[in-house]
């Protein structure tokens, strides 16, 4: 159902596409891709050169390639690679990711499983909660996220200059 809705929304596969959606805070988030493809019968959407811009216009993510597939039961697998992600912590302590999360739907649907595999990730963390700005960079060759509803697990390893490889496992819910 979701992939079919996307298919009807996007008019010209292989061409650039842009859209906006309302974030939780009411701001408009802009998403664009250099090209995309949709195959309803195989239940997939492929986007290349995907970029996400915050309501303030700052690019918070770039993904070279994103493939989203959906199984017959509604489970979703996302394979992404070539990721550049900015995680900004504002002076009030809020994270930039909060500004791009979509507004919650009016009614809840079933909790379907989501599996994300990310490769070639570059992360910039910028903390502006103190007087001076702290900026840290990290990379990851591979990380995974799996979850449904309120239960999520993310794991992988971050390579940080001067520190080395730091494995992580984050459990939410």
């Amino acid at each position: 159902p979701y992939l079919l809705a996307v298919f009807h929304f996007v008019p010209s596969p292989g061409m650039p596409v842009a859209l906006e959606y309302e974030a939780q805070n009411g701001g408009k988030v802009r998403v664009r891709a250099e090209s995309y493809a949709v195959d309803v019968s195989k239940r997939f959407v492929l986007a290349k050169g995907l970029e996400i811009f915050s309501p303030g216009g700052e690019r918070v993510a770039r993904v070279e390639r994103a493939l989203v597939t959906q199984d017959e039961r509604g489970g979703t697998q996302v394979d992404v690679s070539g990721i550049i992600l900015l995680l900004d912590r504002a002076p009030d302590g809020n994270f930039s990711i909060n500004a791009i999360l979509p507004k919650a739907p009016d009614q809840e649907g079933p909790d379907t499983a989501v599996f994300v595999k990310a490769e070639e990730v570059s992360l910039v963390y910028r903390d502006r909660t103190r007087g001076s700005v702290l900026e840290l960079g990290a990379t990851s060759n591979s990380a995974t996220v799996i979850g449904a509803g309120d239960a999520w697990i993310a794991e992988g390893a971050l390579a940080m200059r001067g520190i080395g490889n730091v494995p992580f496992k984050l459990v939410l819910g």
Side-chain angles (χ1 to χ4, degrees):
Y2 175 74
L3 290 177
L4 186 58
V6 169
F7 175 74
H8 290 296
F9 175 77
V10 289
S12 303
M15 299 296 292
V17 65
L19 60 92
E20 286 186 347
Y21 65 86
E22 187 174 351
Q24 289 179 359
N25 65 5
K28 294 290 184 189
V29 176
R30 190 167 51 98
V31 180
R32 74 176 183 201
E34 293 169 3
S35 69
Y36 70 94
V38 178
D39 189 322
V40 175
S41 65
K42 293 181 181 174
R43 304 175 70 90
F44 80 78
V45 175
L46 171 67
K48 293 183 179 179
L50 185 69
E51 295 181 302
I52 303 172
F53 296 88
S54 72
E58 182 173 32
R59 186 178 81 179
V60 294
R62 176 166 174 83
V63 177
E64 287 301 319
R65 182 180 187 274
L67 175 64
V68 181
T69 56
Q70 193 173 55
D71 65 28
E72 298 79 30
R73 295 180 305 270
T76 302
Q77 178 159 339
V78 181
D79 294 293
V80 290
S81 61
I83 305 157
I84 300 170
L85 181 64
L86 170 64
L87 183 59
D88 185 67
R89 188 167 185 206
D92 64 5
N94 285 319
F95 287 92
S96 58
I97 193 81
N98 295 335
I100 65 168
L101 293 175
K103 185 177 179 181
D106 291 335
Q107 48 181 198
E108 290 188 31
D111 290 340
T112 58
V114 176
F115 177 78
V116 179
K117 181 179 179 188
E119 296 180 335
E120 302 168 31
V121 180
S122 177
L123 171 69
V124 175
Y125 171 72
R126 184 171 41 199
D127 191 331
R128 299 181 292 127
T129 58
R130 304 212 190 310
S132 61
V133 176
L134 170 67
E135 193 164 295
L136 300 171
T139 60
S140 178
N141 290 331
S142 181
T144 59
V145 178
I146 188 167
D150 293 332
W152 294 86
I153 299 172
E155 60 186 318
L158 293 174
M160 301 174 71
R161 185 178 300 152
I163 297 174
N165 285 335
V166 179
F168 70 87
K169 183 171 186 177
L170 177 63
V171 179
L172 302 173

